[in-house]
Amino acid sequence: MRRISYTFLISLTSFFSFGQQININPSIINFHLGNPGASENQTITITNNSAELQAFEINLGDWTRTETGSHQYFAPNTQPYSCASWVRLNKNFIELKPGEMEEIVVTLQAPENPEALEKMKWAMVFIQGATLKKPEANGPQEIKTFINEIVRVGVHLYQTPFNLSKQAIKAVSLNPSKDEKNTFDFMIENDGNVMTMVKAHVELTNITTGEELVAPNADFPLFPYGKRIIKLDLPKDIKPGKYSLLAIADYGDSNPLEAIEKVIEIK
């Protein structure tokens, strides 16, 4: 018998619904432990709104964002920023009948070492569900196929000690994109010690006419000491001419703007 397995990994922003049949909430869990040995419990709720029995495995992993914003996944406790070893789950497997709901208790226990609480840490709780289909035969002499369809959901887990608050964003570089016309790669670095939400956009001023154009914002989170390259598109209706291009990174009303300016020519 041959088994074919399909895996889909989905990272969430608020909650996730398997076609409105399976709800998982929340998608982000924030802890703020600042004292050695301290602990805190939070919960993930899984609801089965389908008409079938559903089974789920729950486990931990490490992850990070690349400079382009994609996710990379690793085995738990393998990355220097990981707090996976601090986490206990009260269950690693559940079955839910139609209409049932169950809570997974996530406990974060800070180590006794004070140095471990000097930096932000993070991990991910994976919830994996499987629907098994019956073997199918294409003919009396043909191999049967056993299809295992898997959906794996990632719930982000952040541990930010309450005494960490430094926000410091730096605009590093601004260069034309090599693979996209009228697009610029804006590199931003987080020199702070907490994850920071950043808004980036471009403002253009036609050097001859004085006409001003503003492109839409790009919003994104940036881990401490991480870098991110944001692609900023110029307005589609931009006219030929020379422009002063200003790429701006905004990370809160109380923080100064970071920007890089260039003179460009649109032909």
Side-chain angles (χ1 to χ4, degrees):
M1 183 178 294
R2 181 183 302 160
R3 173 173 293 182
I4 301 175
S5 178
Y6 301 94
T7 302
F8 305 91
L9 178 64
I10 302 166
S11 297
L12 312 177
T13 54
S14 57
F15 73 93
F16 181 69
S17 173
F18 293 10
Q20 303 300 320
Q21 293 186 334
I22 305 298
N23 290 338
I24 298 175
N25 189 37
S27 66
I28 297 174
I29 298 178
N30 287 297
F31 291 96
H32 299 283
L33 302 182
N35 297 318
S39 66
E40 183 181 347
N41 295 335
Q42 297 203 40
T43 59
I44 300 170
T45 302
I46 305 176
T47 305
N48 181 9
N49 294 321
S50 75
E52 299 178 355
L53 178 72
Q54 300 285 345
F56 301 92
E57 294 180 353
I58 303 97
N59 51 57
L60 297 164
D62 288 344
W63 70 286
T64 192
R65 298 186 186 94
T66 67
E67 288 186 356
T68 59
S70 62
H71 286 47
Q72 283 186 326
Y73 302 96
F74 310 91
N77 311 318
T78 60
Q79 303 303 306
Y81 48 75
S82 175
C83 62
S85 63
W86 304 8
V87 179
R88 296 193 310 275
L89 304 171
N90 70 325
K91 299 169 186 173
N92 294 105
F93 180 84
I94 62 171
E95 286 187 343
L96 294 178
K97 297 177 182 178
E100 279 191 335
M101 176 186 73
E102 191 153 351
E103 290 185 341
I104 306 299
V105 179
V106 181
T107 301
L108 191 72
Q109 175 86 46
E112 296 294 339
N113 178 12
E115 294 181 356
L117 295 167
E118 294 177 355
K119 294 182 179 180
M120 179 184 174
K121 304 282 187 179
W122 59 92
M124 188 169 286
V125 177
F126 290 111
I127 301 169
Q128 182 171 296
T131 301
L132 302 182
K133 293 185 176 180
K134 295 180 180 179
E136 299 175 356
N138 297 324
Q141 304 299 323
E142 297 184 20
I143 298 175
K144 295 181 179 180
T145 302
F146 188 69
I147 301 176
N148 185 15
E149 294 179 300
I150 299 172
V151 177
R152 189 168 69 148
V153 177
V155 177
H156 298 185
L157 193 160
Y158 301 124
Q159 151 60 13
T160 308
F162 58 77
N163 59 325
L164 299 186
S165 60
K166 179 185 176 183
Q167 291 186 322
I169 297 299
K170 180 171 66 177
V172 178
S173 63
L174 180 67
N175 298 300
S177 176
K178 296 180 180 179
D179 51 2
E180 297 181 48
K181 184 179 179 181
N182 289 347
T183 300
F184 282 77
D185 292 339
F186 188 25
M187 177 178 281
I188 302 165
E189 183 175 358
N190 185 354
D191 287 339
N193 56 18
V194 295
M195 185 170 69
T196 301
M197 295 299 301
V198 184
K199 294 182 179 180
H201 71 278
V202 292
E203 297 179 0
L204 297 110
T205 303
N206 188 301
I207 293 176
T208 301
T209 66
E211 180 185 9
E212 296 182 351
L213 300 170
V214 178
N217 282 332
D219 299 1
F220 55 95
L222 190 54
F223 279 133
Y225 314 111
K227 293 181 180 180
R228 182 75 180 269
I229 298 174
I230 297 298
K231 290 189 176 297
L232 298 177
D233 298 324
L234 303 187
K236 296 183 182 300
D237 58 350
I238 189 170
K239 300 175 182 178
K242 285 189 175 182
Y243 291 83
S244 169
L245 183 154
L246 187 66
I248 299 173
D250 182 351
Y251 59 109
D253 293 340
S254 61
N255 298 315
L257 298 175
E258 278 286 310
I260 295 179
E261 186 175 15
K262 282 184 178 291
V263 174
I264 64 171
E265 184 173 3
I266 303 296
K267 298 182 179 180

